[in-house]
Amino acid sequence: MTDGTNPPTNPQPEQPAPGSGGYGFPPGAPASGGYGFPPGPPASGGFGPPPGADQDGGYGYPREPGQQQANPYRQDPGMPGPYEAPPAQWQQGGSTQGPVPAPEPFRQRSDQPDWDALADRSAAQRRRKRLWVIGGTVTVLALLAGGGTFLLLGDGDGKGDDKPTTATSDTPAPSQSGVKSPIDLTPTVAGDPTTVRDQIGKANLKMGPEAGVFPIDKRHEIRTKGNANSFAESQQRVVDPSKSFTISARLWNRSPKGQQIAVSQGNEKSFSFELGLDEVNGKPSWIFRVQTGTPGANASTTTVTGTSAKMEKTFSELTGTYDAEKKVIALYVNGKRTGEAPVPADIFPAPGPLQLARSRHQDQWVSPWQGAMDSLRVYDAALPQERIDALKPGKLDPMVTPTGSWLLF
């Protein structure tokens, strides 16, 4: 039997020369009986074919009819020879033990990868990635929980068609050691959108029912409709008008007609000072006016005026100063000094509150403001020109501290 492969073939040597006697044999003709056998005819029953049909043959031939000679090359009498058929019990289905497995060197090997091991490794990698994602998410949420709340600002055009904003925080950000605390720019008092918050002191401004604070771009502004219910006022006096002071605001006017006052302070009888818009010689002008002498008498007022390239539907920065030592008032429009005027007597020291979008004349509220304003600041000193130049929209001059500020950004 073979293992299924052809054995290697070796080339045969060339044929021996005639008369040499063959390979390993003496020269000459072979002896009678062939190589290795005695001369003469083969003995009965020897090698070769049977001498006759009725004679016993040699090895491998039956000596008697129906009998077989024992195989001299069989090692195990119970095993079949190499050219014999196996017993019936060895045939397919004749044994419960099944086919004999092939020897190990001939067993078929598989070149396929171990899919189960690969699947286990992939699952482990996914679990690790999931744990990293969960851990990162928890960290981000923890950081966000410790941060402040951001106020989303909407767009507007200063025309009063947006909804008022609501404050989200009334607590300044904590300061670092040796660093000044930043200003809290929250526009209104927390939980009360009807009160404009003083970002420096405690002079909050309560708004009337038809006034409101609205977001626009990255800032907030107060809008008023030019009627008796559209205003804002403090609970007490913010600055003493009999001493030096400065008042500044950024104003937007819908229509510069008649007299409209953006900021004033006085009492129930009359104003002490007012900053806004009026008609001078038939033309709209920015004005800063103070009251001296008899309250409410026009003859006892002093006014300084100025103009700008555009008087309506655009923001203009107005700043009025009073130097009590020199007794001089001055007006700045967009940082430029437009005029000054001497004051003949002390300004009426009215103890009343600060007013937005209206003024007090002869016991009546007059001159309502129709438009918007922001960047309101009041100082208890007359700022010089270099400090006026340092006033930026929505910002404070770090060299001087105001007594009150509203709607900064």
Side-chain angles (χ1 to χ4, degrees), residues 209-233:
E210 295 189 41
V213 172
F214 297 84
I216 178 171
D217 297 329
K218 295 182 179 180
R219 59 184 179 80
H220 289 78
E221 63 186 26
I222 182 173
R223 299 174 187 173
T224 54
K225 297 181 178 180
N227 58 45
N229 292 323
S230 192
F231 65 92
E233 64 178 358

Side-chain angles (χ1 to χ4, degrees), residues 294-355:
T294 304
N298 290 332
S300 61
T301 61
T302 301
T303 304
V304 61
T305 66
T307 59
S308 59
K310 189 176 182 180
M311 302 289 294
E312 63 180 334
K313 296 182 180 180
T314 187
F315 273 98
S316 299
E317 181 108 19
L318 268 62
T319 302
T321 64
Y322 171 59
D323 189 332
E325 184 178 349
K326 297 179 180 180
K327 286 189 170 27
V328 173
I329 61 172
L331 176 64
Y332 300 80
V333 178
N334 296 325
K336 181 181 179 181
R337 188 184 182 103
T338 59
E340 64 178 27
V343 178
D346 293 336
I347 295 177
F348 173 49
L354 187 74
Q355 302 287 335

Side-chain angles (χ1 to χ4, degrees), residues 127-145:
R127 285 194 296 270
R128 285 195 297 270
K129 184 177 181 180
R130 229 174 8 249
L131 291 175
W132 277 107
V133 172
I134 293 173
T137 303
V138 171
T139 302
V140 171
L141 292 177
L143 292 175
L144 291 177

